[in-house]
Amino acid sequence: MSDIAKNIYEIEEDIKKHSSNPEKVKFIGVTKYVGIDEMLEVARCGVKVFGENKAQVIKEKQEKFKELGINDIEWHFIGNLQKNKVKYIAEYVNLIHSVNKLSLAQEIDKRAEQNNRKIDVLLEINIAGEESKEGYNLEELYQELPEIMKLKNINIKGLMTMAPFSDDETLVRGVFKKLREIKEELNEKYFNGRLTELSMGMTNDYKIALEEGATLVRIGRKIFQ
C-alpha cells in the first residue's frame, strides 16, 4: 500500500470514528499543490472529490481529466473566488465553498444562467473574525442574505468556515460549534431545513470538526505527507 493510500485509509477511518453521521460526510482531497499524477493516485484510492483554490488551475485539471476519459470527479472551489474568475469554472464546478459577498453571488448566478445550470454554493462565515481570512461577519450576512436568496440560479447548500490555526482545542471547537448553531438558526428562520452542509475542518483540525457536525472536510497535507 502506498503512503497516499495509507493516509487516505486513516482519514476514512477517522471519519467513521469521529462523526456521528459518517455516511453523510464527504472527504475533499485538496489538490491545489499537486499535479495530475498524484491526483490520479488519489482517485484510484476512491477519493473522487477534489478541492482547488485557483480558477485557471482547476479548469486545466478538469480538462486534463476529461481528456483521460475520467468523468466521475466532483470539482469543488474552496478558495477566495474573484468575480472575474467565475466564468472559468461556471460550466462544471460542483460546489463553490466561498460565497462571501452579494456581488460574488450575483456573478455566480449570472454565469450559472448562461450555462443553463444551478450552481451549488456555501456561504463563508469568518466566525473568529480574523483579518487574514475572508468570509462574512454575521451582521453582513444577515443584511445580504435576503438578496442572495432571491437569486434563481444558485442553490445555497450550507456554510463554510476556517478555524484559527491553533493548538487551543477549546477555541477551535468553539468556532465549529458556532457554525453549526448558525446553520440551525438559518434553517429555522430562512431555509426550512434546506441547509445540510457544513464545510469545516482541515488536516490539523478535521477530527474536532467531525465531532461538531462537519459534512465536508477539506484535507490536503495529510494525504501527501
Side-chain angles (χ1 to χ4, degrees):
M1 193 187 276
S2 71
D3 287 344
I4 285 177
K6 277 185 207 154
N7 293 338
I8 287 171
Y9 176 77
E10 274 181 30
I11 294 163
E12 289 170 340
E13 289 302 301
D14 283 336
I15 290 170
K16 291 175 195 167
K17 181 178 173 185
H18 291 278
S19 173
S20 58
N21 289 294
E23 68 286 349
K24 293 185 178 173
V25 175
K26 195 172 275 187
F27 154 31
I28 299 158
V30 175
T31 50
K32 58 189 180 182
Y33 301 123
V34 302
I36 296 296
D37 289 343
E38 292 99 326
M39 292 173 74
L40 287 169
E41 186 173 352
V42 172
R44 282 194 290 270
C45 294
V47 177
K48 296 299 176 77
V49 188
F50 290 145
E52 292 279 336
N53 69 341
K54 288 193 166 63
Q56 280 103 327
V57 174
I58 192 174
K59 181 175 170 59
E60 286 164 16
K61 288 178 172 179
Q62 188 264 348
E63 286 172 352
K64 183 66 180 168
F65 269 74
K66 215 170 167 185
E67 281 170 26
L68 293 168
I70 302 169
N71 299 307
D72 60 346
I73 300 296
E74 270 190 41
W75 297 94
H76 288 211
F77 193 90
I78 59 173
N80 188 41
L81 182 57
Q82 296 170 301
K83 281 195 305 178
N84 64 346
K85 301 292 172 64
V86 175
K87 59 180 179 272
Y88 295 116
I89 64 174
E91 187 182 343
Y92 58 85
V93 72
N94 294 88
L95 181 65
I96 297 171
H97 287 234
S98 45
V99 172
N100 51 32
K101 51 182 77 76
L102 174 60
S103 58
L104 175 59
Q106 289 168 332
E107 180 67 17
I108 296 167
D109 179 75
K110 180 178 94 175
R111 297 293 179 179
E113 184 176 22
Q114 288 171 357
N115 285 279
N116 296 310
R117 300 185 67 204
K118 270 187 102 162
I119 295 178
D120 290 343
V121 303
L122 306 177
L123 302 174
E124 181 182 5
I125 303 178
N126 188 346
I127 300 283
E130 292 180 279
E131 287 185 16
S132 61
K133 291 195 172 92
E134 300 288 337
Y136 277 113
N137 67 44
L138 274 184
E139 189 182 340
E140 291 169 340
L141 175 67
Y142 277 108
Q143 279 174 357
E144 294 196 353
L145 189 58
E147 289 302 310
I148 293 176
M149 289 183 70
K150 289 177 188 173
L151 300 172
K152 298 278 193 280
N153 302 288
I154 66 171
N155 186 21
I156 302 168
K157 300 284 286 181
L159 308 177
M160 185 271 259
T161 199
M162 294 171 70
F165 196 84
S166 170
D167 292 329
D168 182 345
E169 184 180 317
T170 306
L171 172 65
V172 171
R173 188 178 296 279
V175 166
F176 296 148
K177 182 170 182 278
K178 180 67 175 170
L179 193 74
R180 174 166 46 81
E181 289 169 351
I182 294 167
K183 184 189 84 149
E184 289 163 2
E185 187 177 308
L186 290 174
N187 265 331
E188 203 173 298
K189 287 185 178 173
Y190 295 99
F191 289 93
N192 196 26
R194 293 191 309 278
L195 296 184
T196 56
E197 305 298 338
L198 284 176
S199 173
M200 55 190 198
M202 301 187 292
T203 290
N204 55 309
D205 55 20
Y206 71 89
K207 295 173 190 174
I208 302 170
L210 288 165
E211 289 166 2
E212 293 300 328
T215 62
L216 298 160
V217 286
R218 312 178 300 270
I219 303 175
R221 265 181 307 124
K222 184 172 172 62
I223 298 174
F224 303 106
Q225 67 190 10

